[in-house]
Amino acid sequence: MVNNKEIRSQTNVFAKILGVVIFLMGSVLAIGGAYLLALGGSPYYVVGGTGLTIAGYYLFRGKMLGVIVYAAVFVGTLFWSFAEADGSVWALLPRLFGLALLMAVAVLVVPVLERAMFGWKTAFGIVSGLLLAGVATGLWYGGAARQESMLVSLPAAGAMDADPSPLTSGADWPAYGGSYAARRASPLTQITPDNVDQLERAWVFHTGDMPQGDPADSKYGAETTPLKVGDSLYLCTATNILISLHAGSGKEQWRYDPKVSQDYIPYTAACRGVAYYQSANQASQPGNQTPACAARIIEGTLDGRLVAVDAKTGRPCADFGRNGEVDITIGMGTVEPGMVSMTSAPTIIQGVIVTGHQVKDGVTIDAPSGVLQGFDAVTGEHLWAWDMNRPDLDGRPTDGEFSRGTPNMWTTASGDEALGLVYMPMGNSAGDYLSAGRSEAEDRYSTALIALDVNTGKPAWHFRTVNIDVWDYDLGSQATLIDFPATDGAGTIPALILPSKQGDMYVLDRRTGEPLTEVFEQPAPGGGVEPEERAPTQPFSAYHTLAKTPLTERDMWGMSPIDQMLCRIQFRRAAYDGMYTAPTSDRHWIQYPGYNGGSDWGGIAVDTARGVAVANYNDMPNYNRLVLREVADEILAEQEAGSHDALAPQAGAPYAIDVNAGWRMPGTGLLCKEPPYGGIRAFDLESGKTLWDRPFGTARRNGPFGIPSMLPFEIGTPNNGGPIVTASGLVFIAASTDNLIKAIDLRTGATIWKDTLPAGGQATPMTYEHDGRQYVVIMAGGHHFMQTPIGDALVAYALPEE
């Protein structure tokens, strides 16, 4: 039996250990805090660190003064933390959690200290009180973190806008965005806010397309959104295997493998979707026979091919190109594997497949061309090409090649069948972070929406969202086509909504590109490595925006006061003048928002009957630095080139680029900016007024060192993939890193149903009706870049059958 003397002796040793821990922590904070103060930062860390150092010294010597000093530091930290947190639940954690635990331990050692102020009974009472206060505070804040309901008065539902697409959503989901208007909206009403909690899995289909070797080391991200036409679903896997399923049972009907080599995987093996096309003059023949490929499925592949197969059988369409394939890289000159890929669904307007393609970022400024091309949807014939540096070129060049390094369109286009216009969201020139070598045309069309005439391939108009983009703010979202109220009250104007990575939403006349809501130019920071190249102003949307306020030092976060202080030091050392801070090489610069958005390829969902748009978004900075060529070349000799999470060479440029996406701390992997890192917002289309806005994504799969916290609170996580909205007032979305698919009440913003997916849900869902039953389908394929589990499951939900 252990006697009191032994307990006292052991506790005394523990007090010494505690003293050493607090002394070391205080020393780090004091030294780092002094440096931070010299950089113009908060004085808290040097003051608090000095106090902790003194407390640790006296605790080691067994003096009660150590606990008194520690308690004084802790009380001061309480006041400072609540003042800085400004009501944010998550901002308090790194400031208080660790210090509160040490406070409780310090109280427990009081009885063995010299001139102890109380004994064991009082010590345990105080600790019990502290624990109860902590639990109560946690439950209270946890409730606040869970609180999502923000009941709003939605605009009254009217008639849905007429859809200019020949293929529209309803019982079917015949195009990537529901239709080529890209509204991601369905008129179906069987699943409602009142019965959505009864949703169950109707079926699960596994594609069988999984990475070779360890999935954790793969570059897979199966982002597909299936189509539904008639009784069939059509989808592509991560490596472009085409599959047809029965819409009611999920049973495989056919599959076609175009045999894409693993060598052609760029950043990610991904296929977001396919296109369905049925030619009117091929629909039937005498005797009611349907010819082969009267209806066809068309996809773009990772190795730069257009592939067309019969929608009924999956066999290649013999009348399309050569054996059902067309090579889009003809005329591009040298194309290394992985440099030219099609990861997004094709868009077909007036029988013309209009293609863009992904060009692998950051590898070389002599990258393949971003040329836009048109192909006949039946024959695969090359109809036209638009090379911005060779605007008079109609077809493929015979005197060389398409201009290299020009801006490309890697995402999904939308289109207006009657106007014959396809809306192409453009990216940036090769060498995203430097502009001195660009042509006038490249500056004009970089990060712009271009309306192309499908008959000629020539621009009808363009709208630029960044003046001389050196921030990789390429347009990732489809433009969404709507009818917008005219200012004089006389009817509506054919319009579109263009989301941007900066968070702005532009409402444009889709006939002319003229803004229908206010757009203004605001002075932008200059300087950087190319001061003469920086534009003096940048465009902003006066409303319809997701944009957040500029970062400040107190927005820095971490697991503990130490790494929060380190993030503050990084903040103070970096160049940061707000949005559009110019790229620098002598020090890091902060890009906020980072290149993942705002809005990215998931796009937005628009309920045109209610006049409400829903947008999920990212809210993270990047921590960047341009690296001089000679220094970069030494580093690159030991690194695989052209990765988003490594030094990108930008060969041929005077600098490589080092991008810390999300601004993560080494070791813990936590982000330097405090949560939320992602949100979801609903806003009124006409006024731009926010109806509700909240963090999106729980903390259950996130934590330090990659260890899931399993906390169910809405911290707001990074997200990729978009929402859909139904006429019953539901928003369905996965996208976040918590592996959940959720139904959100459009009226309140509250999550009213959710299910855990078998892998990450980095895809946009879709909904359809079959035999009187409404289904919601999501691809749970995961994503290496989002650090979610890789999978191959297509999951369908429906209400229980009666």
Side-chain angles (χ1 to χ4, degrees):
M1 184 173 179
V2 180
N3 57 38
N4 288 337
K5 184 175 181 181
E6 290 174 331
I7 294 175
R8 185 178 183 88
S9 175
Q10 292 171 3
T11 307
N12 197 19
V13 171
F14 192 74
K16 290 184 178 295
I17 295 172
L18 178 64
V20 170
V21 170
I22 292 175
F23 180 87
L24 292 175
M25 182 174 71
S27 298
V28 172
L29 289 174
I31 294 169
Y35 182 47
L36 176 63
L37 185 62
L39 293 172
S42 170
Y44 163 77
Y45 294 90
V46 66
V47 174
T50 301
L52 291 177
T53 303
I54 294 170
Y57 170 76
Y58 282 108
L59 274 168
F60 181 80
R61 295 187 61 193
K63 305 290 186 181
M64 183 66 198
L65 182 59
V67 176
I68 295 172
V69 173
Y70 187 92
V73 172
F74 182 69
V75 170
T77 301
L78 277 175
F79 286 104
W80 172 78
S81 297
F82 279 93
E84 279 217 334
D86 197 23
S88 168
V89 177
W90 299 103
L92 291 175
L93 280 178
R95 292 171 168 89
L96 288 178
F97 184 73
L99 290 178
L101 287 179
L102 291 176
M103 182 74 251
V105 175
V107 169
L108 287 176
V109 302
V110 164
V112 302
L113 298 178
E114 184 180 320
R115 298 182 181 179
M117 298 178 66
F118 47 80
W120 296 109
K121 185 176 181 180
T122 302
F124 281 109
I126 293 173
V127 170
S128 298
L130 287 172
L131 288 174
L132 287 173
V135 169
T137 302
L139 290 174
W140 187 84
Y141 273 121
R146 287 177 184 270
Q147 181 62 35
E148 300 172 352
S149 181
M150 295 161 276
L151 185 62
V152 297
S153 177
L154 292 177
M160 295 179 68
D161 291 356
D163 194 318
S165 173
L167 302 172
T168 59
S169 62
D172 287 349
W173 190 273
Y176 175 70
S179 77
Y180 289 135
R183 293 172 184 166
R184 294 171 181 78
S186 170
L188 299 181
T189 58
Q190 186 180 95
I191 304 172
T192 70
D194 293 328
N195 64 24
V196 70
D197 62 341
Q198 301 174 40
L199 278 185
E200 61 183 20
R201 292 189 182 184
W203 50 261
V204 178
F205 174 78
H206 292 276
T207 69
D209 187 0
M210 287 288 286
Q212 300 173 6
D214 186 354
D217 297 329
S218 78
K219 297 195 295 182
Y220 267 49
E223 301 166 351
T224 190
T225 299
L227 306 186
K228 189 268 185 178
V229 181
D231 292 333
S232 298
L233 296 183
Y234 304 101
L235 66 142
C236 54
T237 71
T239 58
N240 297 121
I241 299 170
L242 291 169
I243 299 175
S244 173
L245 307 177
H246 185 269
S249 66
K251 299 296 184 183
E252 182 174 324
Q253 298 178 145
W254 56 255
R255 71 169 53 207
Y256 175 73
D257 186 353
K259 304 295 184 183
V260 174
S261 168
Q262 297 278 314
D263 294 339
Y264 284 85
I265 295 176
Y267 313 115
T268 302
C271 179
R272 297 188 186 96
V274 300
Y276 175 89
Y277 183 72
Q278 180 168 330
S279 173
N281 59 11
Q282 284 189 314
S284 63
Q285 291 180 342
N288 294 320
Q289 294 181 358
T290 302
C293 286
R296 58 190 59 194
I297 304 301
I298 302 172
E299 74 165 343
T301 66
L302 294 174
D303 55 6
R305 288 176 285 162
L306 285 173
V307 175
V309 301
D310 190 307
K312 285 190 173 182
T313 67
R315 298 190 185 98
C317 294
D319 59 351
F320 185 84
R322 178 176 296 179
N323 299 321
E325 298 181 358
V326 168
D327 184 355
I328 72 159
T329 68
I330 296 173
M332 292 187 188
T334 302
V335 178
E336 298 292 335
M339 287 298 295
V340 170
S341 305
M342 286 185 283
T343 55
S344 297
T347 297
I348 305 173
I349 296 296
Q350 294 187 0
V352 179
I353 308 169
V354 182
T355 67
H357 53 273
Q358 174 182 288
V359 177
K360 196 171 183 181
D361 279 349
V363 178
T364 175
I365 59 172
D366 186 41
S369 177
V371 61
L372 306 178
Q373 302 180 78
F375 299 85
D376 188 285
V378 174
T379 67
E381 177 188 357
H382 187 268
L383 300 177
W384 49 258
W386 182 68
D387 179 339
M388 64 182 63
N389 283 334
R390 303 182 65 183
D392 296 329
L393 182 67
D394 292 322
R396 286 165 166 158
T398 58
D399 57 344
E401 60 187 11
F402 291 121
S403 302
R404 297 185 71 83
T406 52
N408 62 296
M409 190 210 78
W410 56 266
T411 189
T412 312
S414 49
D416 188 314
E417 184 80 7
L419 293 176
L421 295 178
V422 180
Y423 304 101
M424 315 287 281
M426 298 300 291
N428 211 342
S429 298
D432 290 289
Y433 300 91
L434 297 164
S435 63
R438 297 178 190 168
S439 68
E440 181 182 343
E442 289 175 65
D443 280 339
R444 183 183 312 123
Y445 294 116
S446 285
T447 321
L449 185 71
I450 302 176
L452 281 187
D453 186 317
V454 295
N455 295 303
T456 66
K458 305 300 183 185
W461 56 261
H462 74 279
F463 178 84
R464 189 169 62 188
T465 61
V466 181
N467 296 327
I468 312 181
D469 182 7
V470 287
W471 299 274
D472 200 12
Y473 278 149
D474 46 354
L475 293 171
S477 301
Q478 274 184 291
T480 297
L481 279 51
I482 61 169
D483 294 333
F484 195 75
T487 54
D488 59 5
T492 58
I493 297 171
L496 58 80
I497 305 172
L498 175 63
S500 74
K501 287 185 175 180
Q502 302 91 292
D504 279 332
M505 305 270 181
Y506 298 98
V507 183
L508 311 175
D509 186 323
R510 67 176 183 260
R511 301 166 299 184
T512 65
E514 291 297 316
L516 298 177
T517 58
E518 184 184 355
V519 176
F520 64 94
E521 293 281 331
Q522 184 168 303
V529 298
E530 300 173 323
E532 70 287 349
E533 286 282 314
R534 298 289 64 80
T537 64
Q538 293 291 348
F540 291 83
S541 175
Y543 51 104
H544 299 106
T545 183
L546 308 173
K548 302 294 184 177
T549 57
L551 294 174
T552 65
E553 182 194 317
R554 73 179 187 175
D555 294 320
M556 299 302 100
W557 207 59
M559 186 177 69
S560 70
I562 291 176
D563 52 343
Q564 186 188 63
M565 177 189 69
L566 294 175
C567 286
R568 286 178 180 246
I569 289 172
Q570 287 187 6
F571 177 85
R572 287 291 179 179
R573 292 187 63 186
Y576 181 59
D577 301 309
M579 192 182 291
Y580 300 112
T581 296
T584 55
S585 66
D586 58 333
R587 55 178 173 156
H588 285 84
W589 91 90
I590 297 169
Q591 178 190 351
Y592 181 61
Y595 60 52
N596 266 13
S599 292
D600 205 349
W601 55 263
I604 65 174
V606 178
D607 181 344
T608 60
R610 294 179 175 89
V612 175
V614 178
N616 58 303
Y617 58 91
N618 285 299
D619 186 11
M620 299 176 294
N622 286 354
Y623 198 68
N624 304 339
R625 183 171 66 96
L626 290 169
V627 182
L628 282 168
R629 178 85 278 142
E630 55 269 26
V631 177
D633 288 344
E634 293 181 8
I635 300 172
L636 290 165
E638 301 178 3
Q639 175 199 294
E640 180 183 354
S643 171
H644 267 309
D645 52 359
L647 184 67
Q650 297 193 142
Y655 301 92
I657 178 66
D658 178 12
V659 176
N660 182 342
W663 191 359
R664 296 178 181 271
M665 281 292 291
T668 66
L670 294 179
L671 279 62
C672 266
K673 174 191 169 293
E674 71 182 25
Y677 307 123
I680 187 165
R681 181 183 295 187
F683 57 88
D684 179 83
L685 277 178
E686 185 174 357
S687 67
K689 176 184 176 183
T690 295
L691 301 174
W692 47 260
D693 182 14
R694 68 168 179 87
F696 174 64
T698 66
R700 61 185 297 273
R701 294 287 304 175
N702 298 92
F705 309 106
I707 302 170
S709 70
M710 302 311 295
L711 294 173
F713 307 135
E714 290 280 347
I715 190 174
T717 71
N719 54 90
N720 259 337
I724 63 170
V725 63
T726 69
S728 63
L730 286 172
V731 178
F732 287 99
I733 184 169
S736 54
T737 60
D738 54 14
N739 300 350
L740 299 175
I741 181 172
K742 303 173 185 178
I744 295 172
D745 192 328
L746 185 61
R747 299 167 300 177
T748 66
T751 299
I752 54 178
W753 170 85
K754 62 189 176 205
D755 186 49
T756 302
L757 296 168
Q762 280 65 60
T764 301
M766 49 84 79
T767 186
Y768 63 90
E769 183 182 286
H770 179 75
D771 285 346
R773 194 180 189 197
Q774 183 181 354
Y775 295 80
V776 176
V777 173
I778 180 73
M779 181 69 204
H783 204 286
H784 73 105
F785 188 61
M786 301 293 289
Q787 299 179 351
T788 56
I790 305 300
D792 69 339
L794 189 71
V795 186
Y797 298 91
L799 296 173
E801 292 186 282
E802 296 180 358

